[in-house]
Amino acid sequence: MNRRHDGQDDYLTPEALRKIKDELRRHERTRPKVVEDLSEARELGDLSENAAYQHAKGRLAGIDRRMFILKEKIKNAVIIEAGPDPEGRVRIGSRVAVEVNGKKKEFLMTGTQEADPSTGRISHKSPVGSKLVGLRAGETATVKVSDRDVEYSVLEVS
């Protein structure tokens, strides 16, 4: 499993990778204008009191920093394959329907970068996600919530 120092992993859906690449291209198109603005501001004189220069310098540093981060994400990306594993088990990229407390819930198992529990996208590292990974339809996971155990019965893996 791919691990980073910030606790996130490098698992990304093809859609997320496309968005990252699109953002990088936008910054690559914007950067030359910011470099030009910096150059023009530098020509105005005293750099220590030149607000336009300081602003352009800060913008360029921000763009360069963001481009570095995006390039690292692209370089390290592990593309998530949709669906269950060949044996029908839950894995990153699976959609899983569960019954919990008499209610049906559906989750998409994602890497940490794309997790959003409010939309049903849960990380394989989350308390629920980590218990569901590797299970098949018909199996049950017990998750400790506060001071009680909650059972998640897997109904379907797709």
Side-chain angles (χ1 to χ4, degrees):
M1 189 173 297
N2 206 348
R3 298 192 191 276
R4 296 181 343 177
H5 68 279
D6 60 5
Q8 289 191 337
D9 55 54
D10 297 314
Y11 292 102
L12 295 171
T13 58
E15 176 189 351
L17 182 60
R18 180 188 52 75
K19 287 179 181 177
I20 289 169
K21 287 179 177 180
D22 288 348
E23 182 183 348
L24 178 60
R25 281 191 287 277
R26 282 192 306 275
H27 288 300
E28 288 172 340
R29 285 191 304 269
T30 303
R31 190 179 188 282
K33 173 67 173 127
V34 176
V35 169
E36 183 181 317
D37 291 347
L38 181 64
S39 179
E40 289 173 4
R42 185 178 297 142
E43 293 171 5
L44 297 177
D46 184 3
L47 301 183
S48 65
E49 295 184 19
N50 185 333
Y53 173 79
Q54 295 300 328
H55 177 72
K57 184 177 168 186
R59 271 191 72 205
L60 183 60
I63 288 171
D64 286 346
R65 186 172 36 257
R66 184 65 183 155
M67 286 175 60
F68 175 80
I69 290 167
L70 295 171
K71 287 177 182 178
E72 286 297 302
K73 284 183 177 191
I74 292 166
K75 179 177 79 175
N76 295 318
V78 177
I79 302 303
I80 296 171
E81 187 177 332
D85 75 6
E87 288 79 40
R89 293 185 298 239
V90 176
R91 68 174 174 185
I92 301 172
S94 297
R95 291 194 178 280
V96 58
V98 298
E99 183 179 319
V100 59
N101 296 326
K103 295 180 184 171
K104 182 178 178 182
K105 292 188 175 192
E106 293 189 19
F107 301 114
L108 174 63
M109 300 297 296
T110 69
T112 56
Q113 294 187 61
E114 294 182 78
D116 181 2
S118 68
T119 62
R121 298 171 71 93
I122 62 171
S123 164
H124 65 291
K125 291 184 175 183
S126 70
V128 173
S130 64
K131 295 286 187 173
L132 293 175
V133 169
L135 297 183
R136 293 184 177 107
E139 296 182 325
T140 301
T142 302
V143 180
K144 190 84 152 164
V145 178
S146 297
D147 54 348
R148 64 186 184 93
D149 291 336
V150 177
E151 287 199 354
Y152 287 75
S153 299
V154 179
L155 303 173
E156 181 183 353
V157 181
S158 59

